[in-house]
Amino acid sequence: RRPPRSTRKESSAASDVYKRQKEANAVTTQAHNKLQTSIKKQDNNRIRVRDKSDRATTELVMDSRTRIILLKLIKKQLLDEVSGCISTGKEANVYHALNASEEEFAVKIYKTSILVFKDRNRYVDGEYRFRRGYCRHNPRKMVAMWAEKEFRNLSRMRAAGIAVPLPVAVKGHVLVMEFLGKHMIAASTLKEVSFETLEEWEETYVSVVEILRMMYHSCKLVHADFSEYNLLLHQSKVYVIDVSQAVEFDHPMALEFLRRDCANINSFFESKGTGVFGLKQLFYLIVDKALKFSRERVRELLKERKEGVGEEDRFSDALFKELHIPRTLFEVEPEKLFTASEEQLVSLVN
């Protein structure tokens, strides 16, 4: 028996409604899929941008990883807050920080987005501490190793009695150390200092010579970037900073670096009108182990130097600046060993 006409009309209307709903659902699903695809593309683009900026420490901006490291240091109650930037450089920025007891700290954050570390191989290759290699192809790991290297160098110099900031902690590419200054005002570099008398400059020069010798003999280190920019005057005492590039004294280029350090210091103090040692004399004053070193002896030698500086001394210094310095007897030509005098052989060994 056929259903009534009214029932057939209702069934047809329901079928039409079902079809329209099905078509609408198909459109909705299609729109939903397009929306999801669009969101994925945006996410992928966002990730690519983050790889370039959010994961790199540039200028004065901290990346997300750096903020995580600082938050961990705060969570450990090592720090309570990190405030403004004290100084900036091509390799790192230094920030001022406080702990819960209002003690001041310097937080050195190495930059990880720059390529200046690619020329740092000469400070690492041939050094015993890196005999098992290092991550030269991973900038972040390379910078973290650089921060750890500075922490260890500071610790070694501090133990030897050299005035350096007290290293507190190192985490990744973040180094926490003692703040040299007061109320967020950092101590002045020697470049910024202005003494009233020449005697003060001369006494500072004697202190700097003493630091170089102590680094070489007590710490077995050569700074490799020793200049007026990396020496601070704090509480009437000369402090050494930025020792990340310092190398062991048996490094293949250690003596070359030391000669350059001596030249930098002499050039700066000469510009202040201070009497300085000749380059060759200062070099041997630092490396000569047999010399009975004291501040009084340095003052005496400096006084003798002032009284008799001739053209021969200047020529000798200019020649010494260009000569290759043999690190071992294996680097000396055999003919020179056989023809050298006893004094010359002693100087080569020392």
Side-chain angles (χ1 to χ4, degrees):
R1 183 181 178 184
R2 296 180 62 184
R5 187 180 296 273
S6 60
T7 305
R8 290 201 302 269
K9 287 183 179 179
E10 290 176 2
S11 177
S12 177
S15 178
D16 292 340
V17 170
Y18 174 76
K19 288 181 181 179
R20 286 195 296 270
Q21 286 179 348
K22 188 176 180 180
E23 291 174 357
N25 289 338
V27 173
T28 305
T29 303
Q30 188 179 9
H32 175 76
N33 292 337
K34 287 184 178 180
L35 180 61
Q36 290 297 324
T37 303
S38 176
I39 291 173
K40 281 184 179 181
K41 287 183 179 179
Q42 291 178 5
D43 287 342
N44 290 335
N45 291 335
R46 193 177 299 117
I47 291 171
R48 283 198 293 270
V49 173
R50 187 174 63 208
D51 285 343
K52 292 181 179 179
S53 61
D54 288 355
R55 296 179 61 186
T57 309
T58 58
E59 300 301 328
L60 303 179
V61 181
M62 297 182 192
D63 66 339
S64 57
R65 291 189 179 183
T66 304
R67 289 193 290 269
I68 289 172
I69 291 175
L70 292 176
L71 287 173
K72 287 181 179 179
L73 293 174
I74 293 173
K75 190 175 180 180
K76 290 181 178 179
Q77 299 183 348
L78 186 62
L79 301 175
D80 190 58
E81 64 176 68
V82 179
S83 48
C85 185
I86 302 169
S87 65
T88 61
K90 64 178 183 178
E91 297 176 357
N93 295 333
V94 182
Y95 295 83
H96 181 268
L98 295 171
N99 64 3
S101 303
E102 298 296 319
E103 291 180 287
E104 294 182 286
F105 293 93
V107 180
K108 188 172 184 177
I109 301 177
Y110 285 88
K111 297 177 183 178
T112 58
S113 65
I114 53 176
L115 299 177
V116 295
F117 285 93
K118 67 181 179 181
D119 67 341
R120 292 293 169 173
N121 293 339
R122 57 179 178 163
Y123 296 97
V124 179
D125 288 340
E127 188 167 350
Y128 180 77
R129 291 182 289 181
F130 298 98
R131 62 193 181 280
R132 291 173 182 160
Y134 58 98
C135 303
R136 69 174 70 189
H137 300 298
N138 188 325
R140 187 171 290 276
K141 287 186 178 180
M142 180 66 180
V143 174
M145 183 177 290
W146 211 249
E148 184 179 356
K149 186 169 182 267
E150 179 158 20
F151 182 88
R152 292 183 179 183
N153 288 342
L154 286 172
S155 301
R156 187 187 298 191
M157 293 170 67
R158 185 89 178 187
I162 299 176
V164 295
L166 175 66
V168 179
V170 61
K171 183 77 173 176
H173 61 286
V174 177
L175 173 65
V176 182
M177 53 190 166
E178 174 190 7
F179 176 70
L180 300 179
K182 194 174 182 181
H183 302 311
M184 206 177 167
I185 301 176
S188 301
T189 63
L190 284 189
K191 179 68 176 179
E192 301 167 336
V193 172
S194 57
F195 289 125
E196 296 180 358
T197 63
L198 194 61
E199 288 75 16
E200 290 178 290
W201 279 114
E202 290 179 351
E203 196 63 27
T204 305
Y205 180 70
V206 173
S207 299
V208 169
V209 173
E210 184 180 27
I211 289 171
L212 282 171
R213 184 176 170 90
M214 288 180 68
M215 281 190 66
Y216 190 82
H217 289 285
S218 301
C219 304
K220 310 298 184 185
L221 290 174
V222 173
H223 191 284
D225 192 18
F226 204 72
S227 69
E228 62 272 20
Y229 298 99
N230 292 328
L231 296 171
L232 302 182
L233 191 68
H234 179 59
Q235 297 178 348
S236 302
K237 197 172 184 179
V238 179
Y239 280 74
V240 185
I241 61 170
D242 195 9
V243 296
S244 58
Q245 72 289 323
V247 299
E248 298 275 356
F249 78 131
D250 59 354
H251 185 278
M253 294 189 65
L255 297 181
E256 301 287 341
F257 292 148
L258 179 59
R259 178 171 58 184
R260 187 180 65 186
D261 290 347
C262 293
N264 290 342
I265 288 303
N266 274 354
S267 177
F268 170 71
F269 280 94
E270 274 186 319
S271 69
K272 299 297 180 181
T274 308
V276 298
F277 293 110
L279 179 59
K280 184 177 179 180
Q281 185 181 10
L282 177 58
F283 181 88
Y284 283 104
L285 186 64
I286 293 167
V287 301
D288 189 358
K289 193 175 182 179
L291 178 69
K292 294 182 179 179
F293 187 90
S294 66
R295 294 179 67 93
E296 291 73 19
R297 178 59 177 159
V298 173
R299 293 189 190 97
E300 292 175 5
L301 292 173
L302 197 55
K303 187 177 180 181
E304 293 175 6
R305 170 76 181 180
K306 289 181 184 178
E307 294 172 353
V309 180
E311 289 297 325
E312 185 178 346
D313 295 319
R314 295 189 181 93
F315 177 77
S316 178
D317 286 341
L319 185 62
F320 177 73
K321 195 171 184 179
E322 302 298 329
L323 286 177
H324 168 69
I325 305 174
R327 192 171 58 89
T328 65
L329 291 179
F330 293 104
E331 299 178 15
V332 182
E333 296 178 11
E335 295 79 6
K336 292 185 179 180
L337 285 177
F338 290 119
T339 58
S341 64
E342 183 179 349
E343 291 181 357
Q344 289 174 327
L345 287 174
V346 171
S347 66
L348 283 174
V349 173
N350 291 334

